[in-house]
Amino acid sequence: MPTEEELFAAVDALLAGDPDLPGPAERARLREAAGITQARLAQVLQTTTQTVKNWEAGRSRPRPPRRQAYQRLLEGWAQQFPTTTTPADTAPTATAPVATPPGEPTPAPPAPAPADEPPPTHPAPEPAPAPAPEPAPTSEAPPRSRTPHPEKAPHPRKAHRPAHRPTPPPADQRFENGPLAVIDVEDGHVLAYCVGGLVLDVPAKSLPALIDWTLTEARLGQPRLHRNGRDGDPLLVLTPAALERYGLPTALSDEERRAGRLPDGHKAVRQLTRADWKLTRRGLGPWARIYRPAEGAKRHCVQLCIPAWNALDAREWDDRNAPRLPSMHPADLARYLGAYAQRVMTPRGTAAVTGLELMTALHPPTRAEKDPVTGAFTRALNEDALTAVHDVVECEVPDEHPLLKGRFARHHLRTPAEMLMEEPYDWCRPLTDDECMRQYLVAIDVNMSFAAAANGLTVGLNGPTHLTGNPPFDPSLPGSWLVDLSHVDLSRVRVDGRPVDGGRLPSPFTPKGERPTGPAWYATPTVAYAVELGFEVAPVEAYVRTRTGRYLDAWYKRLRDAYVTTMADLGVTTGLGGAEFLDAMARSRQSDPVMALLVGAIKATAKGGIGKLRQRNRGQVPYHEPWPALERETWRPDIRAAVLANQRIGLHRKLMKTAAAADLYPVAVGTDAVVYPSPGPTPLDVLPRTPEGKPVPGTFRLGVSPGMVKHQGTRTVLWAEEQFEEQGGVFNIANHIKTDPAAGEGE
C-alpha cells in the first residue's frame, strides 16, 4: 500500500476534509476531458486498470489513502473542465448498509444447524430479497497478468427482452457484488474476482483480516431462497497464490489429507483463534466455515473453498478426461462458480452436499411465529418440511446401520425379503437373430433422470407407521411394502390394445431386470405400477408415512431451470427437436467450456443430492456404529428409494410404450441409458414417430428438458458381439456406448 506522501507527489497536495466523490459518470467525464487514460490513472494511483473501471462504473469506491488522492485529482480537473449542466448521476456513490427497521421484534431461532455449521441466525418471517442478476457469458480468459479480465457482454437473451415485460426488481444491495469471490494475487496485489467481471482490491494482509474485509466491505452473499430460510454466507475461493499470501500450504500433506483439515496447531488456525474466529467441526479444510456467534438476526460467517486441496472434485466439478480447473483463470472460475451459485445456490461443499442443502434451503424446517398474546417470536415447525430425526425401519437401512447389529450372521447377504432394493437398472440381454441383422446399436440417455423422477412424487414427511395383518395397498401412502409380485407376467399385458414380448423386456421390479421369485420389499411407486399393469397385489406388511407432501418439487424446479438455462447458453434450447436438437448438442460441446462444466455440476448436484438421502458410513466410524449423517433430518433412505423406484418405473413405462408402438425392444439399460438396435447411426433412425413426424405419445422424445432424451452414442452390432465374447456375458453395453466420454453418468 503506497504512503500518503507518495500519492501527494503524484497528484499534488491533499485538500482538507473528505467530501463525497462526484458520481461515476462525472469521474469518467473529467478524466476523458483531461485526456488521461484509465491505465495512466491507475499507474499514478498505484492500482489496477480494472479498479479504475470499477470506480467509474459505480461498482466500487476507492478507500483511503487512494480516496483522498483521487478526490484531489477530480477537484483539480473539475476546476479546469467545468460543466454547465449537472450530470444525472453526480450524486455520491456511498451506500449505507441495510439496517434493521426500528422496533422490529427479534424472532426465535430455527432448529439447530448440523455439527459442521455455525450457529444459525434468527430469520424474520419476511419475503426473501430478489436474487442478483446472473453473470453473462464471457470470451476466452486472458493470460495471468495485470491485464484486467475483459468486460462481460450482456447475454443475448437479456439484450432483446420484449418491451411488455416488467422491469426486474433491483438486486439486494447487501450482496451487490455477488455470492462469492475468487481471491488471487497478481504483481503483488491481492484481487477479488467477482461475478459479472467485477474485480475488487483486497487490502487484507492476514487471514483474519480477509474474513473481516469480506463481512464489512466486500458486500458478498446470497439472498435466502425461502422467506423462512437464511441468507447464503459469502464464499471465498482461494487460488494457490492466495494460499501463499495468507500463510496456507498450497497442498495438504498425506496426514492432513486423510484428516481432511489442517492441524489445530497450524499458524493460520492460531491466527483465527487469536482474532476470536471459530471453525466448525470440519476444521480448516477444503471447505472451511469461519464464524463468530450470531448477533440477533445477523450472521458473521464466511466459507472458504480451496481447490488446491481438492475442494472441487473433478468427478463433479470438472472434466475428468481433460481437467480445466487447475489452469482456469480466476475470472473464469468466478464466472463458473458464480453462475452455479445464482442458478442453484452458493456451493456448500461437494455437489452432492449442495444438492442436499438445496432441499433444506427451499423447505426450511422451522419458521419464526409471533405469539398473539405476548408478541414474542417463537419457533414453529413447517408442515411441508423434514423437521425431525425419526425412527428407522430395518428393511430400509443399509447393512452397516446400528439397527442391524447382531441381527444377521457375519457376511450375510440380505435378500429382497429382508431389504428394500430399489436401485436403477443394470440390465442387458443377448441380441436376437433379427436384431443382429441391424448394423448399429444406438444409445439414448434420459436428461436429469433422477431429478425428473422426483418431480410430482409424494413422499413421507414423518416417521413410519407399521401395518401388519395383510393390509390393503394404498398408493397414496409412501413407504415400503412386503408383497409378492412374482405372478406379474409382462406378456399378458396389453399396451394401447397391443401385446408386448415380455421376454425381451426387463422386469420393472428388480434392478437386474429379473422376474421376482417371491415376496420382497418394494417402495410405493413399484407396487402401484403392478396395479397399473392390471395385477392384484396382496401386501403382507408395510411401513408407511401418514404425513405426506411433494417435498422435492421446488428442488426439481430449481435444478430444472438451472439446467435448461445453462443449456440455452450453449445453444441448446427447448424449442429444438429432431435433427436440430442433435446438431445443437454436437456443437454445444465446443461452444463454451466454462458453461459445459456448469452443466456437469448441475447434473452431479441432482444425482448426488438424492444419494445423500441415504449417505452410508464412509469409514468414519466402526461397522454398526452410528455415523454423523444419521443425525440429520434429511437422512431419509425411504425417500431415496421412492425416487429411484419412480425413475425405474417411469423408464419401464416408456419401454413398454415403445415396444407396443413400433415392435422395438431394448437390448440393454444402464441407469438412464437405453440401447436399441437400429438400421442407422442416430436416434432419428430408431425412435418411433407418428405419420405427421412427431414422437409417438408416451415414448422417448428428443429434447433438452429433464425427462426427455439425448443421443449418448452409437456402436456397431459387431462390436457388441465381440464384447460379449470377450467378457463372457458379464457385460452391460449400455455403460460403454458413449460418443461423449462425459455422457451417461447416471443423470
Side-chain angles (χ1 to χ4, degrees):
M1 177 71 70
T3 65
E4 288 191 357
E5 289 75 12
E6 293 171 335
L7 294 172
F8 289 174
V11 296
D12 202 2
L14 284 174
L15 293 178
D18 183 22
D20 287 324
L21 295 170
E26 178 67 3
R27 301 173 201 173
R29 186 195 72 82
L30 291 172
R31 177 186 53 75
E32 292 170 354
I36 303 298
T37 65
Q38 292 176 327
R40 174 58 181 155
L41 179 57
Q43 182 182 15
V44 170
L45 296 179
Q46 299 186 31
T47 186
T48 65
T49 306
Q50 184 64 49
T51 298
V52 174
K53 289 183 178 181
N54 292 338
W55 293 348
E56 294 185 356
R59 292 181 295 204
S60 66
R61 302 172 66 247
R63 294 184 299 271
R66 290 189 179 90
R67 176 182 170 83
Q68 293 90 335
Y70 188 39
Q71 174 69 29
R72 167 62 182 174
L73 184 61
L74 292 174
E75 287 182 351
W77 282 340
Q79 294 176 5
Q80 297 178 33
F81 312 105
T83 178
T84 57
T85 59
T86 302
D89 61 342
T90 56
T93 59
T95 55
V98 177
T100 303
E104 183 75 13
T106 303
D116 60 353
E117 287 287 322
T121 58
H122 311 279
E126 59 185 31
E134 295 179 353
T138 66
S139 58
E140 186 175 344
R144 293 290 302 275
S145 69
R146 294 291 291 166
T147 303
H149 197 67
E151 291 291 326
K152 280 21 180 192
H155 194 284
R157 290 185 295 109
K158 295 183 179 179
H160 304 285
R161 290 182 182 272
H164 66 272
R165 288 193 178 185
T167 302
D172 191 329
Q173 294 301 307
R174 297 173 301 160
F175 313 127
E176 62 180 344
N177 293 333
L180 54 85
V182 178
I183 308 299
D184 192 36
V185 180
E186 294 184 9
D187 295 342
H189 293 265
V190 182
L191 303 177
Y193 289 85
C194 307
V195 298
L198 174 66
V199 183
L200 304 175
D201 280 321
V202 181
K205 297 183 180 299
S206 67
L207 187 58
L210 177 64
I211 305 304
D212 280 321
W213 172 83
T214 303
L215 292 174
T216 58
E217 298 185 47
R219 297 197 177 188
L220 296 173
Q222 186 175 43
R224 66 193 73 175
L225 298 181
H226 188 282
R227 66 187 303 270
N228 294 322
R230 62 170 183 257
D231 297 327
D233 298 319
L235 174 66
L236 299 182
V237 184
L238 304 184
T239 66
L243 293 175
E244 291 182 359
R245 169 61 66 93
Y246 292 114
L248 297 168
T250 56
L252 297 178
S253 66
D254 291 341
E255 183 178 351
E256 291 167 346
R257 189 165 52 252
R258 286 191 295 269
R261 57 191 292 173
L262 293 180
D264 293 339
H266 191 277
K267 179 181 177 180
V269 179
R270 289 189 280 109
Q271 281 182 339
L272 292 170
T273 302
R274 286 196 299 268
D276 295 327
W277 289 106
K278 300 179 182 296
L279 289 163
T280 57
R281 191 167 61 182
R282 72 176 68 173
L284 187 51
W287 291 93
R289 283 192 167 273
I290 303 171
Y291 72 98
R292 285 178 180 147
E295 298 176 359
K298 186 175 181 180
R299 286 170 62 87
H300 305 279
C301 181
V302 174
Q303 181 168 350
L304 301 184
C305 168
I306 306 178
W309 298 358
N310 199 36
L312 301 174
D313 193 304
R315 293 171 296 181
E316 297 180 327
W317 300 97
D318 206 351
D319 183 346
R320 290 184 295 181
N321 302 292
R324 297 173 182 146
L325 289 180
S327 59
M328 185 177 286
H329 190 276
D332 278 336
L333 184 57
R335 177 190 170 214
Y336 170 30
L337 296 179
Y340 179 92
Q342 292 177 326
R343 296 177 185 185
V344 181
M345 70 178 299
T346 303
R348 303 290 299 273
T350 65
V353 168
T354 306
L356 191 69
E357 290 291 334
L358 180 62
M359 297 179 193
T360 303
L362 294 170
H363 283 285
T366 61
R367 69 181 186 277
E369 187 173 76
K370 190 174 183 179
D371 189 309
V373 178
T374 64
F377 279 87
T378 59
R379 188 182 69 179
L381 299 179
N382 289 320
E383 290 297 317
D384 62 347
L386 302 176
T387 58
V389 178
H390 298 288
D391 293 337
V392 295
V393 177
E394 181 179 297
C395 68
E396 295 174 348
V397 300
D399 294 336
E400 67 271 22
H401 196 278
L403 185 65
L404 301 181
K405 188 174 184 179
R407 178 69 176 81
F408 300 102
R410 188 174 178 83
H411 305 304
H412 171 75
L413 296 178
R414 287 194 286 168
T415 67
E418 298 168 334
M419 179 182 183
L420 181 65
M421 295 184 180
E422 296 286 13
E423 300 293 338
Y425 268 128
D426 183 12
W427 170 83
C428 187
R429 66 170 175 82
L431 278 70
T432 65
D433 292 341
D434 290 340
E435 290 167 344
C436 288
M437 298 302 292
R438 300 191 179 187
Q439 185 176 356
Y440 297 101
L441 293 175
V442 174
I444 55 175
D445 176 75
V446 182
N447 302 321
M448 301 276 287
S449 64
F450 294 140
N455 184 37
L457 180 65
T458 300
V459 300
L461 301 178
N462 61 348
T465 297
H466 191 194
L467 305 180
T468 58
N470 301 316
F473 173 67
D474 186 346
S476 68
L477 294 178
S480 303
W481 304 79
L482 181 61
V483 59
D484 188 352
L485 300 180
S486 60
H487 62 288
V488 177
D489 183 0
L490 297 181
S491 298
R492 295 164 49 194
V493 178
R494 299 182 70 86
V495 181
D496 297 331
R498 303 184 185 95
V500 296
D501 183 356
R504 288 195 285 168
L505 287 170
S507 167
F509 308 124
T510 62
K512 292 295 183 181
E514 301 166 347
R515 188 167 172 174
T517 58
W521 286 100
Y522 300 102
T524 298
T526 303
V527 185
Y529 187 56
V531 176
E532 178 185 325
L533 294 176
F535 294 90
E536 296 288 337
V537 296
V540 178
E541 61 176 315
Y543 290 92
V544 299
R545 278 76 182 176
T546 54
R547 184 166 65 88
T548 65
R550 292 168 58 162
Y551 176 74
L552 297 172
D553 275 12
W555 179 83
Y556 159 76
K557 292 174 183 176
R558 180 83 175 176
L559 291 172
R560 175 203 62 194
D561 293 346
Y563 178 76
V564 171
T565 300
T566 307
M567 290 301 296
D569 290 339
L570 294 174
V572 186
T573 62
T574 54
L576 300 178
E580 288 182 326
F581 169 73
L582 295 177
D583 291 342
M585 287 294 296
R587 293 192 302 268
S588 70
R589 301 186 184 110
Q590 289 79 37
S591 62
D592 189 333
V594 176
M595 288 295 103
L597 291 184
L598 181 56
V599 170
I602 294 170
K603 290 161 64 175
T605 303
K607 179 182 177 182
I610 296 299
K612 277 285 183 180
L613 292 169
R614 195 196 67 164
Q615 180 177 330
R616 304 189 66 171
N617 181 5
R618 297 174 296 181
Q620 306 105 307
V621 298
Y623 208 72
H624 285 155
E625 294 296 326
W627 59 95
L630 301 184
E631 301 173 3
R632 297 193 320 248
E633 295 91 343
T634 50
W635 195 84
R636 291 294 299 269
D638 58 302
I639 297 181
R640 172 190 177 271
V643 173
L644 268 59
N646 207 38
Q647 185 267 350
R648 194 183 66 249
I649 293 306
L651 194 61
H652 192 273
R653 190 179 286 113
K654 290 187 177 182
L655 295 177
M656 294 276 283
K657 284 280 189 179
T658 304
D663 195 31
L664 183 64
Y665 293 85
V667 297
V669 184
T671 306
D672 52 11
V674 182
V675 180
Y676 281 112
S678 171
T682 77
L684 296 176
D685 298 312
V686 65
L687 294 181
R689 305 182 78 82
T690 65
E692 295 78 18
K694 297 182 179 181
V696 175
T699 64
F700 296 104
R701 180 178 180 181
L702 290 170
V704 71
S705 298
M708 300 175 77
V709 300
K710 58 181 177 292
H711 185 204
Q712 177 170 292
T714 299
R715 291 280 195 171
T716 64
V717 170
L718 180 60
W719 169 86
E721 291 298 332
E722 291 174 350
Q723 296 298 320
F724 284 136
E725 187 173 337
E726 291 178 6
Q727 302 293 333
V730 187
F731 183 74
N732 189 343
I733 58 177
N735 299 325
H736 298 271
I737 302 179
K738 300 176 184 177
T739 302
D740 179 4
E745 298 294 341
E747 264 298 309

